[in-house]
Amino acid sequence: MGKGMEYRAGSVMVVGGGIAGIQTALDLTELGYYVYLLEKAPVVGGVMAQLDKTFPTNDCSL
Amino acid sequence: MITNADLLALDGKPGDFTVKVRKRPRYIDADKCTACGLCTQYCPKHLSDAYNEGLSLTRPIHIDYAQAVPATYYIDPSACMSVQHDTCQICVPVCQSHAIDFSQQPEEVDIKVGAMVLSPGFGRIDDATLEKYSYGEHPDVVTAVEFERMTTASGPFLGEVKCFSDGRHPKSMAFIQCVGSRDLGCDNGYCSSVCCMYAIKEAMVAKEHDPEVDITVYYMDIRTQGKDFDKARERAENMGVKFIRAKVAGVTPWENQLRLTYSTLDGKHEFKPYDMVVLSVGLEAPKDAKGIAEMTGIELNHYDFAKTETFTPLNTSVEGVVVAGAFQGPKDIPESVTQASATAGIVAGMLEQQRGLGIVHKSYPDEKPMDEEVRIGVFVCHCGINIASVVDVRKVEDSVEGMDGVVYHTDSLYSCSADAVQTLKNKIIEHNLNRVVIAACSPRTHEPLFQETLRDAGLNRCLIEMVNIRDQCSWVHAGEPEAATDKSQDLLRMAVAKARGMRPLPEQTVPVTPKALVIGAGIAGMTVALTLAGQGFDSVLVEKGEKLGGSLGLLNHTLDADQTANHLKKLIAEVQASKHIDVLTNAELKDFSGFVGNFSSVITEGDGTEHTVDHGVVVLATGGHEHRPDGYLLEENDKVVTQTELEQQLAGDGKAPESIIMVQCAGSRGDDLNYCSKVCCNHAVKNALEIKELNPASQVIVLYRDMRTYGYAEDAYREARLKGVIFIPYDLDQKPQIAASPKGRKLTVKFFDVLLQEEVEMSPDMVALSVGIVPDGTEDLSKLLKAPLTDDRFFLEAHVKLRPVELPVSGVYVCGLAHGPKPVDETIAQAQAAAAKASIPLVKGKVGIDPIVSVIEEDTCIGCGICSSLCPFGAIEMFKKEKKRKARTIAASCKACGICSSRCPTFAIAMGGFTNEQIMDQISAFGNIQADEPVEA
């Protein structure tokens, strides 16, 4: 992406790349929109990536 | 994806916003970085690792964890000596791909978008709040997130639970609930909703690590109000986790332990020593909430979370800006995921005109015709040191030399890196490969990437076989490098044998009927139909009763004093006016067939008229009703009412009783119903407040087991107590007894008062029962749709966390009370989510069928029907061919689980890509070891 102005019709800005932001971005893409997923940390994933296991399946959260 | 970036400003109007963003330098070129990790090894400076909650050290140049996205290293400028002092730069020459670039500067960009979704998550509780528990003072007091990192197998202690003070394994542990929640001391009057559940999970995990450890959870109320959450508590109790209702006054260091001081309800103060104390910290508004509010103009509530309204739970005060996840209010993962999908649906409605304009469609070259000759290419991956530090990758790679069909083999440092993927593509073309075997990591994560590469190279994507020599060799046999290498060779040889039999499988798609069937016209069903209509899709809304509105019509107002009738009236009018919605009342689903994209349903109306509706998706919003338990005189005495009846009575004549006793969980949580209905505590508090409003002198007593006024409802609970409503807990073995005089004029309620420590008998004017919610008609629908139910007869979602509104049957979605008891704002968000998910196939216009599906050979099939009866997805139908019964796969519904194939008595069923021949070849390849290799049992 270059400097200055970005323009694309049908695009949406999602602020925050935790589980909610990622899911929103995925669903919006499926629904036909271009998504900018903005995250202040160097990686996406948020707090869920820190969790060991999640209830009830005790799946690994990653 | 723009990481390492800040939101600076939002200008413009819905449909035409300009967002100013600052991208901070990463000092590493993401396109060049191969995530090899060499730079971190050479970086001379230490840094506390925030990802591991400061429990371990990392370096300023690092990556948080191996699976991080983007998989690019990053330099923390606050600790890097080059950025801070212009020295060092040891990493620059170390990096073999020349990815490190200290000349990068912050960059500001303006991005034009149509809408914005805010999902910044939550903040952490201030350390000052944790001080009274000796957090920071004694190393064995940890937060729940720190504990989470401790139990993680890949965490800083490799999953070992130990005391930081001296490294011993704790023999006793205490969890303290409501740290930083339900606490006006730190201005967090709300309940964080998730801590009880995660504490139970962590306690169970700790028990798995060491079954002998003694664990006690100190709580005010256990709030496991979510679907099937109470069962987790029961499991924990069965594992020996103890629960004590108490207020913890403080934690102090005591010899080499920690002393916990607490007071129980009966007024006793007690002390108990523990090896480790875990603080169940709540969720706070994000630290930059005020900044976000200023930049975007949205309003915050009094706790600094985004302000939203009951009937538009995800809309902020700024049009075009919506919110999802914990910033909307503290919540767990399933609800965050639900809200996320819902916001996607809302945004899709706002920007309906712009749909599809911005996306890029990928195209692939035509597939090459298959040669007769088998030409296999084998690629073995080092995965940096992940595989290569244990497995002798060269030896594994060399072992395929001369194998039948193998014409090319090579190794690579990271098969998944951008340059390696390009090499893979080039080699396929160069050597005219027609089958590919990759020995690397897990196909679960990486097969799609390689399949994509095959398609780019003009091969069918089913011509790849992956061997997982990371998880199955280098990881699990880390201590036995030779055995791991042998096993890698075995697996690779088997994969090559299987690959010889691989055939291209057709990519099928089926067109989608662009219409939805929505069953149930309560608030959930109407919201679904309207959300779909907003995106321009038609739906048929089927209602069993005469009127639209459902259960919400029985209520007068919500806990936030929203008038339900007005909203419902507006909604019904919108539904009736919509040209996209066909409403059928007094109607029921009689027959259902087909598969995602192509369903056909028969609906009958009360007068017997039948309609056949063709539709692409179906949303179940069938709702529920109040349970009417026995044993509480509900049917026998008119002074005993349910909370809904009480609400109607209060709204009707505006007269409040002089005295009333409310009994919570009447018939729920192990009584007639096994579960918690989530809404009854709020309902009781709402009615109690209404009574106090109408008649401040009225005596209101609420007998409860756990008051589950989670989230902001805690405010109302506190208000009720301040206004003189008396809340008294009861135990299951001392349930309140309700009796009536012979003519029914006088009621008596007997209960044990834990505060007074004695049995009390009272004669209130009225008794109100909080009775719980049961689903409507789910059993019949379950049979018709082959959609599974939980033990409690609610629909069972496809994945509790990740697919909370989808059912295992493709194209079928659920929301509202049919999914589980929940309040109206959650129902609306869930309905919006179900609509968003349901609109995905409608938007696409076709559904792709995964090429790996079961194929039934008609001649060999004897029509026994075993496969059809066993298929969990309803993907096999029986049909008649020349008077003979035969089975056939509905490819669009098949999930390729293979149950049918393994059970077919005549071997008539083959799975695409996993034929019997291929599996047999694989097995014989396992035994067929070349002479110079040692044989291991």
Side-chain angles (χ1 to χ4, degrees):
Chain A
M1 195 162 66
K3 286 180 187 176
M5 178 77 94
E6 272 273 317
Y7 178 69
R8 241 176 223 276
S11 59
V12 180
M13 171 75 64
V14 177
V15 182
I19 178 68
I22 294 173
Q23 185 67 50
T24 306
L26 291 174
D27 285 341
L28 276 170
T29 316
E30 292 265 13
L31 289 170
Y33 297 88
Y34 188 87
V35 179
Y36 298 97
L37 181 61
L38 189 71
E39 167 62 47
K40 64 176 188 297
V43 295
V44 298
V47 180
M48 189 167 165
Q50 284 188 303
L51 304 183
D52 173 17
K53 291 168 178 170
T54 57
F55 171 83
T57 47
N58 275 10
D59 284 344
C60 160
S61 348
L62 281 172
Chain B
M1 194 153 63
I2 314 171
T3 54
N4 217 21
D6 304 307
L7 174 69
L8 295 181
L10 172 76
D11 289 304
K13 56 180 199 315
D16 185 21
F17 285 117
T18 305
V19 185
K20 195 182 271 306
V21 169
R22 179 175 53 223
K23 298 198 254 175
R24 277 173 275 125
R26 209 181 173 93
Y27 301 114
I28 290 178
D29 184 339
D31 294 333
K32 291 185 185 159
C33 176
T34 58
C36 71
L38 214 54
C39 52
T40 305
Q41 288 176 24
Y42 279 86
C43 179
K45 197 155 182 252
H46 287 287
L47 170 72
S48 150
D49 187 354
Y51 172 66
N52 278 327
E53 294 290 311
L55 301 184
S56 64
L57 290 175
T58 182
R59 310 284 173 148
I61 187 165
H62 69 277
I63 192 163
D64 279 352
Y65 47 101
Q67 302 91 330
V69 177
T72 305
Y73 276 58
Y74 151 80
I75 293 175
D76 185 334
S78 68
C80 172
M81 291 197 281
S82 173
V83 178
Q84 293 295 325
H85 311 297
D86 208 10
T87 57
C88 187
Q89 299 211 353
I90 290 176
C91 50
V92 177
V94 167
C95 179
Q96 292 176 354
S97 41
H98 309 293
I100 298 168
D101 176 8
F102 281 107
S103 71
Q104 288 183 1
Q105 294 296 324
E107 195 187 318
E108 281 184 18
V109 276
D110 286 339
I111 300 172
K112 286 220 165 237
V113 295
M116 181 181 265
V117 181
L118 296 174
S119 51
F122 55 87
R124 64 172 66 207
I125 305 290
D126 209 32
D127 280 358
T129 308
L130 315 183
E131 269 169 15
K132 71 170 171 177
Y133 305 107
S134 288
Y135 180 80
E137 185 188 345
H138 196 292
D140 298 340
V141 181
V142 297
T143 68
V145 190
E146 288 167 355
F147 188 73
E148 194 87 38
R149 293 312 301 154
M150 206 188 293
T151 56
T152 308
S154 59
F157 305 121
L158 304 173
E160 216 181 315
V161 179
K162 52 187 182 184
C163 295
F164 292 130
S165 56
D166 56 3
R168 72 184 191 279
H169 294 267
K171 285 289 146 217
S172 59
M173 289 174 58
F175 282 82
I176 303 178
Q177 298 307 107
C178 301
V179 175
S181 306
R182 303 177 69 181
D183 180 1
L184 290 178
C186 61
D187 291 332
N188 290 352
Y190 56 87
C191 157
S192 292
S193 308
V194 301
C195 326
C196 285
M197 203 47 211
Y198 78 58
I200 289 171
K201 176 196 76 176
E202 290 183 2
M204 286 199 280
V205 170
K207 275 278 187 191
E208 279 168 19
H209 282 256
D210 177 8
E212 298 303 311
V213 61
D214 178 78
I215 301 180
T216 309
V217 179
Y218 291 91
Y219 71 95
M220 295 201 267
D221 296 282
I222 285 292
R223 293 189 171 166
T224 43
Q225 63 276 349
K227 188 176 180 181
D228 283 347
F229 284 11
D230 267 334
K231 288 181 186 158
R233 178 192 175 163
E234 275 166 39
R235 271 211 310 277
E237 274 173 331
N238 291 339
M239 286 171 87
V241 177
K242 283 175 282 190
F243 291 85
I244 295 182
R245 191 193 293 271
K247 245 330 219 174
V248 176
V251 177
T252 43
W254 191 63
E255 292 181 358
N256 69 338
Q257 284 185 307
L258 289 154
R259 192 172 72 163
L260 198 127
T261 312
Y262 63 94
S263 57
T264 47
L265 275 179
D266 49 15
K268 286 195 195 120
H269 286 272
E270 295 192 53
F271 310 103
K272 231 185 143 191
Y274 287 97
D275 287 340
M276 184 186 273
V277 170
V278 182
L279 306 179
S280 294
V281 286
L283 312 188
E284 215 164 52
K287 278 277 169 288
D288 49 351
K290 287 207 167 79
I292 293 172
E294 224 163 86
M295 279 182 269
T296 57
I298 65 159
E299 277 178 53
L300 301 178
N301 69 14
H302 59 294
Y303 293 124
D304 281 352
F305 288 90
K307 186 172 189 299
T308 60
E309 304 296 330
T310 309
F311 297 123
T312 48
L314 307 178
N315 296 38
T316 68
S317 55
V318 175
E319 204 192 330
V321 180
V322 291
V323 57
F327 186 38
Q328 192 259 359
K331 64 180 53 64
D332 60 5
I333 298 169
E335 255 200 81
S336 296
V337 170
T338 303
Q339 290 196 340
S341 295
T343 52
I346 297 170
V347 168
M350 288 179 199
L351 305 179
E352 196 232 331
Q353 301 298 326
Q354 299 181 16
R355 183 166 65 213
L357 295 180
I359 50 168
V360 193
H361 288 284
K362 196 166 177 202
S363 62
Y364 299 96
D366 288 341
E367 281 178 20
K368 286 188 292 197
M370 285 293 278
D371 290 335
E372 279 303 302
E373 188 197 349
V374 173
R375 297 183 64 81
I376 302 175
V378 178
F379 299 80
V380 187
C381 180
H382 292 250
C383 195
I385 53 168
N386 241 320
I387 294 172
S389 66
V390 178
V391 172
D392 183 344
V393 171
R394 270 304 140 65
K395 192 174 169 196
V396 174
E397 187 215 324
D398 287 343
S399 73
V400 300
E401 176 68 37
M403 276 187 198
D404 196 12
V406 176
V407 296
Y408 178 77
H409 56 84
T410 185
D411 62 338
S412 77
L413 190 60
Y414 284 100
S415 301
C416 56
S417 64
D419 59 324
V421 167
Q422 187 58 41
T423 310
L424 172 61
K425 183 179 162 187
N426 295 344
K427 293 295 170 193
I428 291 172
I429 297 166
E430 188 184 325
H431 295 275
N432 197 21
L433 304 176
N434 54 21
R435 285 159 184 84
V436 172
V437 176
I438 296 180
C441 56
S442 169
R444 283 213 314 178
T445 53
H446 281 72
E447 198 170 39
L449 172 75
F450 297 129
Q451 285 183 331
E452 180 98 0
T453 314
L454 258 65
R455 291 179 76 181
D456 276 338
L459 283 185
N460 182 280
R461 67 176 163 128
C462 296
L463 295 170
I464 182 180
E465 180 68 17
M466 275 189 81
V467 190
N468 189 347
I469 59 170
R470 186 191 62 181
D471 304 21
Q472 295 172 9
C473 299
S474 70
W475 280 1
V476 289
H477 307 299
E480 303 160 281
E482 277 179 31
T485 304
D486 286 344
K487 185 174 170 189
S488 302
Q489 293 180 27
D490 288 341
L491 290 175
L492 185 56
R493 188 173 61 251
M494 291 163 71
V496 169
K498 184 179 171 222
R500 287 186 201 110
M502 289 195 297
R503 298 274 172 271
L505 299 174
E507 295 285 335
Q508 308 172 55
T509 53
V510 286
V512 170
T513 312
K515 185 187 268 190
L517 176 70
V518 183
I519 305 179
I523 180 85
M526 290 196 290
T527 304
V528 170
L530 285 171
T531 308
L532 286 170
Q535 292 190 59
F537 293 113
D538 293 342
S539 49
V540 177
L541 184 57
V542 177
E543 170 56 41
K544 188 175 61 178
E546 265 172 48
K547 290 192 305 190
L548 309 184
S551 303
L552 190 64
L554 302 174
L555 303 183
N556 177 59
H557 60 281
T558 68
L559 193 53
D560 294 325
D562 307 288
Q563 298 302 310
T564 50
N566 296 345
H567 178 69
L568 213 48
K569 221 197 265 165
K570 204 178 108 225
L571 213 60
I572 292 170
E574 272 179 58
V575 166
Q576 282 165 341
S578 171
K579 63 181 189 326
H580 289 295
I581 306 173
D582 251 346
V583 181
L584 295 175
T585 49
N586 283 319
E588 267 181 273
L589 183 68
K590 273 283 164 293
D591 202 11
F592 180 83
S593 63
F595 50 88
V596 56
N598 292 274
F599 292 115
S600 176
S601 294
V602 179
I603 318 279
T604 49
E605 283 187 273
D607 60 5
T609 337
E610 282 197 355
H611 302 265
T612 302
V613 179
D614 290 329
H615 54 101
V617 291
V618 54
V619 184
L620 306 176
T622 42
H625 60 271
E626 275 195 326
H627 174 58
R628 297 190 74 83
D630 288 333
Y632 295 90
L633 302 184
L634 184 54
E635 311 299 344
E636 294 85 351
N637 193 302
D638 58 9
K639 288 179 188 151
V640 180
V641 296
T642 67
Q643 292 289 1
T644 304
E645 289 164 345
L646 175 62
E647 179 172 350
Q648 288 164 348
Q649 215 166 305
L650 294 173
D653 60 9
K655 275 195 207 131
E658 286 304 316
S659 62
I660 182 166
I661 291 184
M662 298 184 181
V663 180
Q664 299 306 103
C665 303
S668 292
R669 290 183 64 192
D671 208 338
D672 319 355
L673 309 178
N674 239 327
Y675 50 89
C676 162
S677 285
K678 208 175 185 181
V679 300
C680 332
C681 284
N682 289 1
H683 207 168
V685 168
K686 179 176 80 175
N687 284 344
L689 282 172
E690 182 70 15
I691 291 171
K692 282 289 184 187
E693 183 72 38
L694 296 171
N695 180 5
S698 175
Q699 184 189 45
V700 186
I701 296 176
V702 181
L703 304 176
Y704 71 97
R705 288 173 59 193
D706 293 287
M707 278 312 284
R708 292 184 167 171
T709 45
Y710 61 98
Y712 307 133
E714 184 68 17
D715 286 343
Y717 177 35
R718 191 178 318 106
E719 186 191 340
R721 288 193 314 252
L722 288 175
K723 288 192 170 158
V725 178
I726 299 165
F727 291 85
I728 301 171
Y730 71 85
D731 274 335
L732 254 196
D733 47 8
Q734 283 171 313
K735 274 204 260 181
Q737 301 296 323
I738 303 169
S741 60
K743 285 188 179 162
R745 288 203 192 113
K746 189 178 161 204
L747 286 173
T748 52
V749 180
K750 249 198 284 191
F751 60 92
F752 184 79
D753 186 333
V754 283
L755 308 174
L756 301 172
Q757 285 292 308
E758 62 183 28
E759 184 135 300
V760 178
E761 194 175 297
M762 299 187 91
S763 299
D765 289 352
M766 273 180 90
V767 167
L769 303 176
S770 291
V771 288
I773 294 171
V774 282
D776 276 338
T778 49
E779 273 165 336
D780 290 343
L781 273 175
S782 161
K783 279 183 205 136
L784 217 47
L785 274 70
K786 286 204 173 182
L789 299 179
T790 65
D791 293 346
D792 305 320
R793 293 180 292 128
F794 294 100
F795 282 107
L796 177 67
E797 53 274 44
H799 188 291
V800 176
K801 286 214 149 47
L802 304 177
R803 295 171 63 198
V805 295
E806 295 163 80
L807 294 187
V809 185
S810 298
V812 185
Y813 308 84
V814 67
C815 59
L817 300 181
H819 162 275
K822 61 182 65 65
V824 59
D825 52 340
E826 288 172 34
T827 295
I828 292 171
Q830 204 182 26
Q832 290 169 328
K837 285 289 186 189
S839 60
I840 290 174
L842 304 182
V843 164
K844 292 191 164 167
K846 56 182 195 256
V847 280
I849 301 170
D850 204 82
I852 300 178
V853 290
S854 80
V855 182
I856 303 173
E857 201 180 308
E858 221 168 69
D859 294 342
T860 329
C861 173
I862 53 170
C864 65
I866 292 178
C867 51
S868 171
S869 68
L870 287 175
C871 178
F873 308 103
I876 296 184
E877 59 181 357
M878 305 303 296
F879 69 107
K880 280 247 161 46
K881 189 180 181 191
E882 293 151 12
K883 292 191 182 160
K884 282 189 184 146
R885 224 161 85 95
K886 298 282 177 190
R888 103 180 127 202
T889 306
I890 305 164
S893 304
C894 178
K895 299 266 190 272
C897 67
I899 291 176
C900 54
S901 171
S902 66
R903 291 305 173 113
C904 177
T906 58
F907 302 105
I909 307 181
M911 302 305 297
F914 294 86
T915 61
N916 291 338
E917 292 75 21
Q918 279 180 293
I919 292 169
M920 291 311 289
D921 286 348
Q922 227 177 336
I923 296 170
S924 40
F926 175 61
N928 180 19
I929 298 169
Q930 269 135 35
D932 56 348
E933 286 175 34
V935 179
E936 286 198 26

